[in-house]
Amino acid sequence: MLVSLLIIIYVTFIALGLPDSTLGSSFPAIAQNLGIPSNMAGYLSPVVSLGTIVSSLLSDKLVRRFSTKWVTSVSVLLTALALFLFSFVTKDTVWAFFPIAIVMGLGAGGIDAALNNYVALHYKAIHMNWLHCSWGVGTTISPMIIGSFIDSNNNSSGWNHGILTVSLLLFAVSLMLFVTLPIWNKAKEIEEKRKVDSPQAPEEEKKPLGYGVLFRNPIFYLAMVGFFCYCAMEGTTGLWLSTYLTHEKGLSTSLAATLGSTFYIGITVGRFFSGPLSLRLNEKAMIRIGESIALIGVMLCLIPVNEYFAIVGFVITGLGCAPIYPAIIRSTPYRFSKQASQKAMGLEMAIAYMGNLAIPPLFALTAKAMDENYGILPYFTLILVLVRILCHEIINRKLSKRDAQLSEEERKDYVTEGN
């Protein structure tokens, strides 16, 4: 693969992370500035997820018809446009948040499903971790940008300028993608030439498998539940951490917006170090290590010392989350075969974002029913972590039994774990 294409994909993953933390970090200020309920973010988040689910389910058809490069380029443009419009919402046009959120979700889902499957099939595990580390850079930068624009002394104004700045960064990445479209063609030519020049006999091109193969596989359902819980935990924490720090720890909206990035800082730093570690350990081991660290972090969040102790707990939780998402994505061709990987990836993205669709508003409703008690956030996180651990351990046992029964010919249909 051309180095230039890899650089483009890294930059795109940074862009993918920018909008993911924008809503959660900015909404305490938005609610205060526009005079709307703070729990409204819990209703916007599932609308974003709904758009993401739709585009994720369509990803297999879209990629086969238009290719990964076009799906990715257009998706980034949609996300940039959505944030641009988001920044112009006023007290009189609060309703516009909802249709804009659909557009944002459509863009995010297209990037996620298309690009993740491309990387899982064409790059080593170290790049999967570092690319998602780049996503973490985006999720860390966005709250800092927004926090720097928020004026806590003037009714939390300035959030719109922060979101506008994030949208302009995405427009720049979108322009880069459209300008560099020919590089994808060049990379494809090099890969095809490499296959022709290879001394080994070329593998027979097999047709993609249908959804029925996935639906008959019990591992598929366990994987979906585990991924659902992971994204539900990450989405709920990312969305409500700033509000948790404001309501429960007494921090200002500007400081809470900035410190809301600490969870994503933990993910980013963790994925940087997960890259080299993935060269020595397979995906099963990476997920186990991540789950263990995340569990320790959540337990620390439950200890009532002060706001900074809680922040440390969320940073450690982020460190634990770091290897989990890339390892699950990287495992998809190993769990379900190369022929079923794009369909499985689209379904994984859709089911995962259903976690964002259901759990953040459930958290909002629960907190509201408990007199705006956002202190239940660590308890929500703990439940989701424990369910994830259970699902992944059952999957590991079933995969071990399956691998023992595969013939040498059947093994060629799967990407070997740890490659």
Side-chain angles (χ1 to χ4, degrees):
M1 285 293 165
L2 292 173
V3 174
S4 53
L5 177 58
L6 188 58
I7 293 172
I8 291 168
I9 295 175
Y10 269 100
V11 174
T12 305
F13 264 85
I14 294 175
L16 178 61
L18 286 172
D20 283 3
S21 57
T22 297
L23 184 61
S25 60
S26 63
F27 214 83
I30 292 174
Q32 185 176 333
N33 185 239
L34 301 185
I36 57 179
S38 59
N39 65 353
M40 186 176 173
Y43 305 113
L44 278 175
S45 177
V47 175
V48 176
S49 298
L50 183 62
T52 305
I53 290 167
V54 171
S55 57
S56 296
L57 291 174
L58 293 174
S59 66
D60 183 57
K61 290 185 177 179
L62 291 173
V63 168
R64 295 189 184 282
R65 181 169 182 179
F66 300 108
S67 77
T68 301
K69 63 180 181 181
W70 280 106
V71 173
T72 302
S73 302
V74 173
S75 295
V76 173
L77 180 61
L78 282 175
T79 309
L81 179 62
L83 284 180
F84 181 79
L85 295 173
F86 203 93
S87 68
F88 288 98
V89 174
T90 64
K91 291 182 180 180
D92 298 326
T93 58
V94 170
W95 57 268
F97 277 138
F98 291 93
I100 294 171
I102 293 176
V103 178
M104 187 185 301
L106 288 172
I111 306 168
D112 240 349
L115 211 51
N116 273 309
N117 189 60
Y118 186 88
V119 174
L121 291 174
H122 294 90
Y123 291 96
K124 292 184 179 295
I126 186 171
H127 290 299
M128 181 64 82
N129 280 279
W130 280 352
L131 284 165
H132 282 277
C133 174
S134 299
W135 170 87
V137 171
T139 58
T140 303
I141 290 174
S142 184
M144 291 180 177
I145 292 174
I146 292 169
S148 66
F149 278 95
I150 293 175
D151 183 1
S152 59
N153 297 318
N154 187 25
N155 200 25
S156 295
S157 63
W159 61 267
N160 52 335
H161 299 298
I163 293 178
L164 179 62
T165 302
V166 174
S167 75
L168 293 177
L169 290 174
L170 282 169
F171 275 121
V173 174
S174 176
L175 178 62
M176 176 204 71
L177 286 169
F178 282 107
V179 170
T180 57
L181 283 174
I183 293 179
W184 292 79
N185 296 334
K186 184 66 175 176
K188 186 177 180 180
E189 291 174 6
I190 292 175
E191 184 178 11
E192 289 176 350
K193 185 177 184 299
R194 187 178 298 165
K195 289 181 180 179
V196 172
D197 294 340
S198 174
Q200 297 178 349
E203 293 184 15
E204 180 183 352
E205 191 70 23
K206 296 186 178 181
K207 292 182 179 180
L209 297 176
Y211 286 109
V213 175
L214 292 172
F215 295 152
R216 290 192 297 269
N217 187 348
I219 294 175
F220 170 77
Y221 297 99
L222 289 165
M224 295 304 105
V225 173
F227 211 19
F228 175 97
C229 290
Y230 173 82
C231 287
M233 188 277 285
E234 186 180 285
T236 303
T237 303
L239 181 64
W240 292 109
L241 180 54
S242 294
T243 303
Y244 168 81
L245 293 175
T246 301
H247 283 254
E248 300 301 320
K249 303 302 178 181
L251 302 183
S252 66
T253 55
S254 57
L255 182 58
T258 301
L259 291 179
S261 66
T262 53
F263 174 66
Y264 292 111
I265 289 174
I267 293 177
T268 304
V269 173
R271 284 180 182 163
F272 179 81
F273 289 105
S274 294
L277 191 61
S278 66
L279 295 175
R280 304 176 66 89
L281 300 175
N282 62 23
E283 280 72 40
K284 291 177 185 176
M286 296 294 290
I287 291 174
R288 279 174 173 160
I289 291 172
E291 297 287 13
S292 301
I293 296 173
L295 185 59
I296 292 171
V298 174
M299 298 303 292
L300 289 176
C301 293
L302 293 172
I303 301 175
V305 179
N306 54 43
E307 63 271 25
Y308 300 106
F309 196 83
I311 291 169
V312 170
F314 279 112
V315 171
I316 293 174
T317 303
L319 283 170
C321 289
I324 298 173
Y325 190 103
I328 293 174
I329 295 297
R330 178 87 172 114
S331 296
T332 302
Y334 162 66
R335 290 176 173 178
F336 307 113
S337 83
K338 291 180 279 188
Q339 289 73 38
S341 65
Q342 184 62 69
K343 284 185 173 64
M345 192 72 70
L347 288 170
E348 279 181 335
M349 294 296 110
I351 297 295
Y353 279 100
M354 285 181 186
N356 284 339
L357 183 69
I359 302 305
L362 176 62
F363 175 84
L365 290 171
T366 306
K368 186 177 181 180
M370 299 175 68
D371 297 325
E372 302 290 326
N373 180 17
Y374 293 97
I376 61 174
L377 179 61
Y379 296 95
F380 256 70
T381 305
L382 177 61
I383 293 171
L384 294 169
V385 169
L386 291 175
V387 174
R388 283 201 326 252
I389 291 173
L390 178 63
C391 287
H392 289 310
E393 288 308 310
I394 296 175
I395 288 172
N396 289 342
R397 293 175 64 181
K398 288 185 176 295
L399 286 173
S400 297
K401 291 181 180 179
R402 183 207 69 183
D403 291 348
Q405 296 171 355
L406 289 176
S407 65
E408 288 300 321
E409 187 64 27
E410 289 173 328
R411 290 180 190 277
K412 295 179 182 179
D413 293 336
Y414 297 88
V415 172
T416 305
E417 196 178 33
N419 276 4

